[in-house]
Amino acid sequence: MSIETASTPTIRVQGLEKSFKDLHVLRGVDFEVTRGSIFAMLGSNGAGKTTVIKALSTLLAPDAGTATVNGFDTATQSAQVRESISLTGQFAAVDEVLTGRENLVLVAKLRHLKHPKAIADELLERFDLTEAGGRRVATYSGGMRRRLDIAMSLIGDPPVIFLDEPTTGLDPEARLEVWQTVRTLAAAGTTVLLTTQQLEEAEQLADRIAILHGGRILVEGTLAELKRLLPPTEVQYVEKQPALEDVFLALVGKNGDPTIDGADAEGAHPDGTHPKDLP
């Protein structure tokens, strides 16, 4: 049982350091994450994001500093930490030979949970995968695989989930699906720590954002707080043009069907014109 109280941060990191020979990856990292919030660690390749995740999930011992997860010390209470968390890596760790339901049942059995089939069915419904549950995962889209991967990581109801660049390699539609899944997790009380290189991802999802660079957190706060670090901008009238993502989603639609001005399944409008024919 967790020793965390309501006033204690779900994740607390103080002075975390890690080096690999002469390479100093983490140089004193400090941050806290409150229960039920989404905390984004934003940084480029090599900034140290994955190293932080590995240290918090007890896969890597830091050289200095302390960290607690769900009230447990990662150094002295590693077993309790592992029972409190789930880790989803940069690429979906699903068995493509099995069906979606079989993947979930397998993990539930490995965790010695009762009623694994019922657990699988509940998660398939929760992640909008019920109709695909009987299909082999090899037939799933990237977004469906990622949702299944996150569903598998939630078996056993861990209070904390680590998402290491959860939308790597996904197309715009799949990325939006994963974003909604992450929001749903936090709304249900799960504490989410995610790493990302995408500015928009952090902006869209996070309650608080930490910018990690060169092994140090440069700044940390809400989006509004971070924006106030820059001088106020001069207000000017600018005609807003649709972004490429707007065009893409309008053309293919949420379920892959064109949606621009009533275009049919081939993209043609009732008058015979086609989007590609437009000036």
Side-chain angles (χ1 to χ4, degrees):
M1 183 174 178
S2 171
I3 60 175
E4 181 187 10
T5 64
S7 59
T8 304
T10 302
I11 301 171
R12 173 179 283 166
V13 177
Q14 295 176 308
L16 207 64
E17 298 182 15
K18 183 64 182 179
S19 297
F20 298 96
K21 295 185 178 180
D22 295 331
L23 178 62
H24 300 290
V25 180
L26 301 180
R27 300 169 179 264
V29 173
D30 302 89
F31 65 89
E32 296 181 350
V33 184
T34 59
R35 177 177 293 277
S37 67
I38 302 174
F39 187 94
M41 187 167 293
L42 180 65
S44 56
N45 281 333
K49 303 186 302 297
T50 299
T51 302
V52 172
I53 293 291
K54 287 183 176 180
L56 291 177
S57 55
T58 74
L59 297 175
L60 189 68
D63 299 329
T66 61
T68 58
V69 177
N70 202 38
F72 299 112
D73 188 284
T74 58
T76 61
Q77 299 172 296
S78 58
Q80 293 94 323
V81 170
R82 289 193 288 270
E83 290 175 356
S84 301
I85 68 170
S86 182
L87 170 60
T88 300
Q90 295 183 19
F91 302 98
V94 294
D95 191 323
E96 296 186 354
V97 176
L98 301 178
T99 67
R101 180 174 287 104
E102 288 170 341
N103 269 277
L104 293 166
V105 169
L106 176 62
V107 174
K109 288 182 176 179
L110 289 173
R111 295 187 176 178
H112 307 290
L113 299 178
K114 297 180 180 179
H115 313 299
K117 292 182 179 179
I119 292 172
D121 289 339
E122 188 276 329
L123 285 168
L124 287 171
E125 181 178 0
R126 180 176 173 183
F127 286 87
D128 196 24
L129 291 169
T130 299
E131 292 185 3
R135 287 167 35 200
R136 290 177 56 187
V137 174
T139 68
Y140 283 19
S141 68
M144 293 169 67
R145 293 186 193 197
R146 200 49 159 166
R147 296 207 314 273
L148 177 63
D149 192 28
I150 295 175
M152 290 167 61
S153 70
L154 291 179
I155 292 176
D157 296 320
V160 181
I161 183 169
F162 300 133
L163 301 176
D164 194 9
E165 301 195 22
T167 59
T168 296
L170 297 185
D171 61 45
E173 291 176 284
R175 184 182 65 197
L176 294 177
E177 290 177 5
V178 173
W179 286 1
Q180 185 54 47
T181 298
V182 174
R183 293 187 186 101
T184 302
L185 289 175
T190 303
T191 302
V192 179
L193 170 59
L194 67 89
T195 69
T196 184
Q197 299 182 52
Q198 301 179 32
L199 300 174
E200 184 185 10
E201 185 159 273
E203 185 171 350
Q204 289 288 329
L205 291 179
D207 297 300
R208 297 187 71 83
I209 301 167
I211 298 179
L212 185 68
H213 181 74
R216 293 187 175 92
I217 290 182
L218 302 182
V219 292
E220 185 259 316
T222 65
L223 178 60
E225 288 170 346
L226 297 185
K227 286 183 175 181
R228 285 198 294 268
L229 295 176
L230 298 179
T233 57
E234 181 181 352
V235 178
Q236 296 179 341
Y237 171 78
V238 178
E239 182 178 353
K240 184 180 182 299
Q241 296 294 327
L244 180 58
E245 182 173 310
D246 298 327
V247 175
F248 177 86
L249 293 175
L251 284 171
V252 303
K254 180 175 175 57
N255 298 312
D257 297 324
T259 58
I260 291 183
D261 296 335
D264 62 21
E266 299 297 326
H269 291 262
D271 61 2
T273 61
H274 192 281
K276 69 180 182 180
D277 300 323
L278 298 177

